[in-house]
Amino acid sequence: MVEGCAVASVLGLLEERESAARVRVEGLREEAARLAGVLEAAEIELDRRVIAREELVEGLAVSAAESTAVTEVEVEREPAPSPVPGSTVPPWRDGLTVTVLTPDYQRVLGVLKEGQSAGRGTLKAREIAVELGLETTPAKVEGVRSKGTVNFDRRQMINKENCGLRL
């Protein structure tokens, strides 16, 4: 009978191990099912984020193209800003009009245009000051001279031969 007890105990031991293996397999299946659900949720989130990024990049590209086109149109249509007394004279370039100059510079140009149309040619800073109704003190005359120099150096219209200003 010793043999029968040994076989029974081996058989019982195998049944215990088989039962433990079944419990372990069932636990692993449950864990795999849980992980498959987690994996599916993570894949869905990844897909949503990829789509969001692609749409953002596409939207930014379209927006950049539109804003570039709008900016180019605005630059073409945008009038020159109104000058403010005391502002600087912009560098001369083709297409600029007298309206970009400050009122003081515009008045000096007006006097020069009147002198040119009257056939007077080159005007001295003192003569321009008188035409503008300014006193002929050195400070006022020098102010007119500096406006003429800045204004016309930018347009290369200073008559250096006799230190007069002309158009």
Side-chain angles (χ1 to χ4, degrees):
M1 279 237 189
V2 174
E3 263 183 35
C5 279
V7 172
S9 72
V10 168
L11 187 60
L13 184 62
L14 288 175
E15 287 175 352
E16 284 178 22
R17 288 185 180 174
E18 180 183 341
S19 177
R22 282 185 198 281
V23 169
R24 184 167 180 245
V25 165
E26 189 59 35
L28 290 174
R29 282 188 181 140
E30 289 174 3
E31 182 71 13
R34 185 187 68 76
L35 288 175
V38 170
L39 177 61
E40 183 179 354
E43 286 175 340
I44 290 171
E45 181 182 356
L46 175 63
D47 290 342
R48 285 186 17 230
R49 293 188 188 273
V50 167
I51 291 168
R53 180 186 49 82
E54 289 172 350
E55 287 180 354
L56 177 64
V57 167
E58 182 180 315
L60 289 174
V62 169
S63 176
E66 288 174 356
S67 74
T68 301
V70 168
T71 303
E72 289 172 356
V73 170
E74 287 175 358
V75 167
E76 291 173 3
R77 293 182 187 172
E78 184 177 298
S82 299
V84 178
S87 62
T88 60
V89 176
W92 180 255
R93 62 184 182 276
D94 288 335
L96 279 183
T97 62
V98 176
T99 58
V100 300
L101 299 173
T102 62
D104 291 339
Y105 286 98
Q106 289 179 26
R107 288 177 53 213
V108 170
L109 263 180
V111 168
L112 289 171
K113 283 183 182 181
E114 287 174 12
Q116 184 182 30
S117 64
R120 291 174 31 199
T122 303
L123 295 174
K124 301 282 187 193
R126 182 177 298 276
E127 295 170 331
I128 296 172
V130 169
E131 291 287 329
L132 292 173
L134 299 174
E135 299 174 22
T136 56
T137 62
K140 298 292 184 182
V141 171
E142 189 55 38
V144 169
R145 185 183 332 275
S146 70
K147 282 181 179 52
T149 302
V150 168
N151 200 15
F152 299 107
D153 275 349
R154 303 269 176 142
R155 293 183 65 184
Q156 299 166 348
M157 293 183 160
I158 192 161
N159 182 353
K160 296 187 181 193
E161 295 172 6
N162 60 6
C163 298
L165 301 175
R166 63 176 170 81
L167 274 177

